[in-house]
Amino acid sequence: MRISGYEKHYCRWFWLFLLLFWWTGAWSQVKKTPQEQQRDSTLADSIRTSKLVLQSTKDTSRSRVSDTAVAIIINRLEGYTLMLNELGSVLKRGYDTTRITEKLPLIDSSLHVIKTNIAALGSTPNIHDLYTNKVMLVQLNRILKTWQNDLFRHYDELVNINDTLQQVRKDTAMRAIPAEDELRAFYISQLTSLILKFRQVDKINKEALLQMGLLQNEVAMRYIAVTNLQGDMEFQLDNFSQRMFNKDYTYLWQPKKQQNEPGFFRVLKNSIFKNIKVLGIFFLVQWPILIVWLLVGGLFAGWTFSNIRKVRQHHPPTEAEAILLHSRLLYRFPMASPLIFLFTLAGLFSVQYPILFIELNWVVAICALTYIIRQSIPRHLFNHWLLLVAMLFVYFLNNLTIQATNAEQWGLFFAAIICIWLGVRFRKLTRHSTLALPKYTPRVLMLFVIMSAFSLLMVLTGRVTAAKIIGATAALSITMAVNLLFFVELLMETVYLQVEANKSSSTFISFIDFQHIQSRLKVFLYVFAFIAWLMVIARNLYIFDNIYENISSFLSTERKVGNTAFTFSSVIIFILVIWVSTVVTQIIAFMFGETGQAPAGKKNKLGSALLLVRLAVLAVGILLAFAASGIPMDKLAIVIGALGVGIGFGLQNIVNNLVSGVILAFEKPIEVGDVIELGTRSGVVKEIGIRSSKIGAYDGSEVIVPNGDLISQQLINWTLSNRIRRVELIIGVGYGADVKQATDILKQAVQGREGILENPEPIVFLFQFGDNAINFRIFFWTGDLALAGKLQSDVLTSIYENLQKAGIELPYPQRDLHIRSMDPDILKQWKPGKPDQDPPS
């Protein structure tokens, strides 16, 4: 059959149209965005799932439930939907692993530096190098362990989500199909949505589990490497401590150990470069530490400047200048003082830090100290101090070197000789100096001389590393002793400024008497400084870790007495917590007004409340002591039982006083500052204690009264509700005086006088006719009990003067003498003479 031309033309257009249609559809598929493709895929998945669910509903083998059970199934669908929404939200938030991923290269570079140090060719790492590697490994170990804990915690959350999804998958109740067509359509729609959501959440969870597992593997590999290197460092440090005093270099008078060994400056350059690199890695890993120390320094400086400004604002210029001169360091050296505070504190608490970081702290602290003392000591003594500081810096440079050289050996030799000479000179100069030096100064200088001499002996015998360690410790010990003295003085001045700056405020600081607490605070700070000084020496001798481990082992070893097991650490913790709680109660009492320094006429209403707080602090302290020390709480019941037996046998009086103290706290019959009378005693309440209270008598004595006496005896409180006091006077005038005029004079003496209340009004009335006078009685009231004595004196003085001016007599006592008998001999001797003569005597 032949096709005509027209038909051929028509066929060509038909195939061209089909090709164009196919190309347009393919191009539209290519041009779709990923979001559109995902939407189309989700739509297709939804349609496919809906068809599968619809086909399953036609399966006669599936169970069909009645309408009464459909509500339960739909509620379960809604519950699963909400749960999947919540799980999806949790998975979308997820765990941010970018910080770990970004820091893994830093961990790798740190490990590379440490491995390079260990495997360094041509040199053996010395104690400083080993310790620096150990410090880096400890920091890396801490970071990796933190990462592992976070990853494991999040991995457990993902596993729990997976278990929850499996429980949803295994729920057979969801396979039931409603019998009604309308309900069946609704159910199919809800079930389709649930299945799609379930697949989406399950997919995200599996991907998260896979990523988390891979990241855990990466972290675990590095953690194992760090742990292995850390064990190697511990082993090498233990071996080094055993051979620390072994000969490690040639004798001083012999040739070099190696003819081709590098020069000192080359070794120093490489060592400094390596330590700077280690310090940079340390700051990248532990950058929050630097921020914390900067914040501490900034807060201290701001606090100091604020207190100086307050002193100038709240006091007259002359008085403010006198106060600020007492804080000579903070006031005269406002920049150097915060530097000493910050870098001394950072140096003391930098236990496991790179050696360069520790040395930089000491360098800044010593430079600031040198700037302060240059005007405080004589010139010749300051020159000796500068030489000592120079020797310290020489030892600091030697500590950074990772390889011994002949030049370093000679440098240690001359440094040891100079330090010995300096120690002897300091002892001679301080013996004849007028400076106020601590009493233990000669002993510290003697220790400095002995350690320098021992360093000299070590360098002579070829023990360069031991000479370096001991010499550096000697120079640091003497400079740190001076630095810690100024550090204590700085803290004392800080407390002094804080107290003086808030004297006029209403805070509890205004109640503090600095002179009262100065001695106690200084003793505590000196003890702290001495312990810190010993720690600095132990750390520079590299025996701190061994001492710490031995003490920890001794305290944590379990010991038994009979069937009772205990450790010395638990005993120390128990005693320490009880002591701290006792000190806290004393501080609370002192800072909130129970100082005995309250102004006259003022009443501290917090006394009873403070007693309750102190009792609560003691009770909590006892419970914490039992809990912190690991003592079982059932032992507390035994102690209470034993206490009950003790109460029955002889502690009744003590318990009575303790219970009376609680009653005083709740009833509040007296407060601190009240004027009371108890029997023959009277005075001002200065303190309400747990067992007894303190009363300040008017003669200056302090009476300690058991709380039981305050409860059981009759107590007069003149200031319980107010300080109003009535004053009574009895005035007598002679017979024959004008009573009305005398009454007016007495009224004028009390009416309108400052300090005497107008309501109640003063009263003057005739009281009685006495043997030799007409007695008047005067009553007036004063608003302040403390003014009663002065007002009484002023009123009596005014009455006496006005009565004298009016000519009214204040009579003397008159007596009539009646002689009932006399000796006759006396009568015979007495003869009346002439009128102008006196009788015989």
Side-chain angles (χ1 to χ4, degrees), residues 282-283 286-301 338-351 353 357 361 487:
F282 175 79
F283 280 143
Q286 295 289 346
W287 58 267
I289 293 175
L290 182 62
I291 295 178
V292 168
W293 286 119
L294 291 176
L295 286 176
V296 170
L299 290 175
F300 179 81
L339 290 178
I340 290 180
F341 171 81
L342 174 62
F343 288 96
T344 301
L345 208 61
L348 293 177
F349 286 97
S350 302
V351 179
Y353 285 22
F357 178 81
N361 279 310
F487 181 74

Side-chain angles (χ1 to χ4, degrees), residues 311-312 315-326 331:
V311 169
R312 287 174 173 168
H315 297 83
T318 306
E319 184 181 350
E321 192 68 21
I323 292 173
L324 294 175
L325 287 177
H326 281 287
Y331 181 53

Side-chain angles (χ1 to χ4, degrees), residues 662-837:
V662 177
I663 295 174
L664 288 174
F666 280 102
E667 281 193 4
K668 300 181 180 180
I670 59 173
E671 298 280 1
V672 174
D674 278 339
V675 179
I676 65 171
E677 290 184 14
L678 184 67
T680 59
R681 297 284 186 181
S682 62
V684 180
V685 179
K686 300 183 69 175
E687 180 182 348
I688 303 175
I690 297 173
R691 187 199 65 85
S692 61
S693 299
K694 186 186 297 183
I695 299 174
Y698 295 119
D699 57 2
S701 63
E702 294 184 351
V703 184
I704 309 300
V705 181
N707 290 334
D709 294 346
L710 296 174
I711 296 295
S712 60
Q713 296 186 22
Q714 185 177 12
L715 176 71
I716 299 176
N717 190 343
W718 288 97
T719 57
L720 178 61
S721 57
N722 54 59
R723 297 187 60 84
I724 297 177
R725 172 73 180 270
R726 190 189 72 175
V727 180
E728 177 183 0
L729 300 176
I730 298 178
I731 305 296
V733 299
Y735 282 100
D738 189 345
V739 174
K740 186 177 183 306
Q741 183 183 12
T743 302
D744 293 337
I745 291 174
L746 297 180
K747 286 183 178 180
Q748 291 175 3
V750 295
Q751 289 179 345
R753 181 175 294 275
E754 183 180 359
I756 296 178
L757 299 178
E758 296 181 357
N759 187 20
E761 185 182 2
I763 300 174
V764 178
F765 58 90
L766 195 149
F767 174 48
Q768 66 177 4
F769 296 106
D771 294 338
N772 52 9
I774 302 173
N775 293 325
F776 290 86
R777 205 166 193 173
I778 304 175
F779 293 107
F780 64 87
W781 283 261
T782 175
D784 191 350
L785 181 68
L787 300 177
K790 182 178 181 302
L791 287 174
Q792 179 175 340
S793 174
D794 293 344
V795 169
L796 288 175
T797 302
S798 175
I799 290 173
Y800 180 78
E801 291 176 352
N802 292 331
L803 289 177
Q804 289 281 28
K805 291 178 181 179
I808 299 176
E809 179 186 1
L810 293 174
Y812 295 101
Q814 297 180 4
R815 297 289 183 269
D816 292 334
L817 181 62
H818 300 276
I819 300 176
R820 299 181 60 185
S821 62
M822 184 178 288
D823 190 351
D825 295 334
I826 296 176
L827 292 175
K828 289 180 181 180
Q829 293 177 2
W830 185 80
K831 293 180 180 180
K834 295 181 180 180
D836 57 345
Q837 293 180 348

Side-chain angles (χ1 to χ4, degrees), residues 373 376-378 380-382 384-385 388 421-449 478 481-482 485-486:
I373 67 175
S376 304
I377 59 177
H380 63 282
L381 194 59
F382 180 70
H384 287 76
W385 170 262
L388 176 62
W421 178 79
L422 280 173
V424 174
R425 285 289 298 169
F426 273 127
R427 282 179 59 86
K428 182 178 179 181
L429 292 173
T430 55
R431 189 181 298 115
H432 304 288
S433 176
T434 58
L435 296 174
L437 299 174
K439 60 181 180 181
Y440 50 81
T441 300
R443 299 177 184 177
V444 175
L445 291 173
M446 180 57 68
L447 177 64
F448 170 64
V449 172
I478 189 67
V482 179
L485 284 177
F486 277 81

